[in-house]
Amino acid sequence: MTGVWQELADSLPRQYWIIWICAAVALSFAVCSFYSRSYGRDMLRQPPGSRIALAVDETFTPSERFAGFVHEASGTSLILTDLPLVAFEQFSKLGNAAERLKAQGVSGISQHLLPSRGGDYIYFRGEQTTSLVDCAKYILIFRDAGATGMVTANIPVAALSSGVVTEPQIETILASATIRPKAAEGKPLFSMSYSGPFEEDLSLLGTTKGYRLRGAEKAHASGGRGSQPLFLVAPSLARVPVEDIGAFSRRAFDGIEQFRDKQLLETSEMKIAGLDAVEAIGRGINGGTGRPTLLFQVVVAARKGGYFRLLGMAPDDAREEFLPEFRKMARGFRPLN
């Protein structure tokens, strides 16, 4: 010791010096611990529309299109999905989870441990090829605060190869995920001036909004469970410009899941809310019921890139009743950003 510290030591009785040193060390430890905990709390960011919070830096911004964050420089998205507690048990076996993920177009699924994360969780990696970009997928499903959270990181393969985003970086973010008491308020992405006999299905969580027949109308609809008319609105997860909306619409129609022997019968270009749109009408065989089904799709180009996809499905023998309803719903669609 030198200088003022030596003078202080010489001026204090030994026992007081030892006490002072111990107190100073304790205070220093407490200050460091406080700032460490505060920093960790500050780094946890909760996007609108979700109870899930993640430790992401300022290069990730809250998405305007879904509950989560986007990394504009690489095209990476972090999609947060709030699920009921029972959902964790449904995902608890690799076979069950793999089957569900495959139904969403995820391939090459493998289960891994996530470094530095404790508690109840399941962690998968996979790949997904879309009409716009090939992505690596990192999927965390965890149980916390009486609920289940799901975080899906979609990273363009090119971004991983170039090192703009790295696997350890993504895994560190996933390891930080926690569930907070309340969801942050979010802004609606669209409005519909007409919903006809349909009402929003509030049990459908995530980016896609679904509309099912109201109770009275459902009782009179034919077909039984699995054949009830349904209308969906799904925004794109990224604002990648769609250069040829007609070609994209055809690929999207061919990619409608759970239907086989799809036939595209007619397409037409139009404007919806002043935006370019393509309507596609066809039919397919419902893979669950085996019944012929009316398939109605409208792809609307978003103002700042990306798109909205509107999809209506109804038993084909009810085409004359529901096709006009689907068209009215699509014409009354208005993006809000």
Side-chain angles (χ1 to χ4, degrees), residues 34-109:
F34 172 80
Y35 278 110
S36 175
R37 291 197 303 270
S38 297
Y39 179 74
R41 284 198 299 267
D42 290 343
M43 284 296 291
L44 285 175
R45 298 169 59 198
Q46 184 180 1
S50 177
R51 291 177 57 192
I52 301 172
L54 297 173
V56 289
D57 62 29
E58 65 280 358
T59 61
F60 285 85
T61 57
S63 172
E64 298 177 354
R65 310 299 293 277
F66 56 88
F69 298 92
V70 292
H71 186 265
E72 296 289 353
S74 66
T76 295
S77 62
L78 301 171
I79 303 170
L80 312 185
T81 306
D82 298 73
L83 299 168
L85 184 60
V86 67
F88 186 84
E89 298 300 333
Q90 297 173 353
F91 279 107
S92 61
K93 295 182 180 180
L94 176 61
N96 293 344
E99 182 178 345
R100 289 169 177 262
L101 295 172
K102 285 179 181 177
Q104 299 178 19
V106 183
S107 61
I109 301 165

Side-chain angles (χ1 to χ4, degrees), residues 179-213:
I179 297 179
R180 288 181 165 169
K182 294 192 302 182
E185 292 187 6
K187 297 180 180 179
L189 299 179
F190 64 89
S191 67
M192 291 201 305
S193 61
Y194 179 83
S195 58
F198 293 85
E199 62 183 356
E200 184 177 349
D201 183 353
L202 298 178
S203 68
L204 184 61
L205 301 174
T207 306
T208 299
K209 298 297 182 184
Y211 300 83
R212 298 184 183 275
L213 287 179

